[in-house]
């Protein structure tokens, strides 16, 4: 995830969770991946399972995911080929503008860095707060 390889991290997390569905470490890893994907309900379920299994060190991550999941319940989403933009209410104005700007930046920065993190179809979550 630190190298923007979210799709690879998702593959690893899913494989670990499939092989070890009750392992709190696999659940915590999968929760982190889901959190970074903007899939907060799934992340919350996974991190709760891991903390319920007796891993109190995960409490700060649980709190962050709970807060984010609660706040983003009201989000609406606009999608582009590479992004999913979450917003609330009047922020649709900014979200609409961001669609084109983000896609242009994705291409220009992707060219400059020689990589595109959403190349396999996973969309980058952008949230307006």
């Amino acid at each position: 995830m630190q190298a923007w390889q979210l799709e690879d991290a998702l593959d690893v997390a899913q494989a670990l969770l499939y092989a070890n569905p009750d392992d709190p470490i696999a659940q915590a890893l999968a929760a982190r991946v889901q959190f970074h994907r903007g899939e907060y309900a799934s992340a919350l379920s996974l991190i709760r399972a891991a903390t319920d299994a007796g891993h109190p060190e995960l409490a700060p991550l649980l709190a962050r995911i709970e807060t984010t999941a609660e706040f983003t319940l009201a989000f609406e989403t606009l999608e582009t080929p590479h992004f999913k933009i979450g917003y609330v209410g009047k922020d649709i104005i900014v979200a609409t503008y961001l669609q084109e700007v983000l896609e242009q930046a994705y291409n220009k920065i992707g060219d400059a860095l020689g990589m595109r993190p959403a190349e396999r179809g996973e969309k980058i979550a952008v949230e307006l707060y």
Side-chain angles (χ1 to χ4, degrees), residues 29-86:
L29 173 64
R32 284 187 175 96
V33 172
Q34 291 298 79
F35 179 77
H36 287 288
R37 294 179 66 231
E39 299 294 336
Y40 303 118
S42 173
L44 187 55
S45 174
L46 288 161
I47 200 65
R48 281 184 175 153
T51 55
D52 289 349
H55 286 271
E57 73 277 6
L58 296 172
L61 181 58
L62 172 62
R64 185 176 331 126
I65 294 173
E66 282 178 329
T67 302
T68 306
E70 182 180 328
F71 185 80
T72 58
L73 281 175
F75 269 16
E76 295 181 56
T77 304
L78 286 178
E79 293 196 29
T80 73
H82 299 105
F83 297 92
K84 56 183 177 182
I85 306 165

Side-chain angles (χ1 to χ4, degrees), residues 74-116:
F75 269 16
E76 295 181 56
T77 304
L78 286 178
E79 293 196 29
T80 73
H82 299 105
F83 297 92
K84 56 183 177 182
I85 306 165
Y87 66 92
V88 176
K90 290 189 248 181
D91 283 338
I92 189 161
I93 296 166
V94 177
T96 301
Y97 173 74
L98 272 179
Q99 291 178 94
E100 183 177 339
V101 172
L102 287 171
E103 284 298 327
Q104 288 175 359
Y106 180 84
N107 290 320
K108 287 183 182 180
I109 294 170
D111 289 344
L113 296 178
M115 69 175 246
R116 288 184 166 74

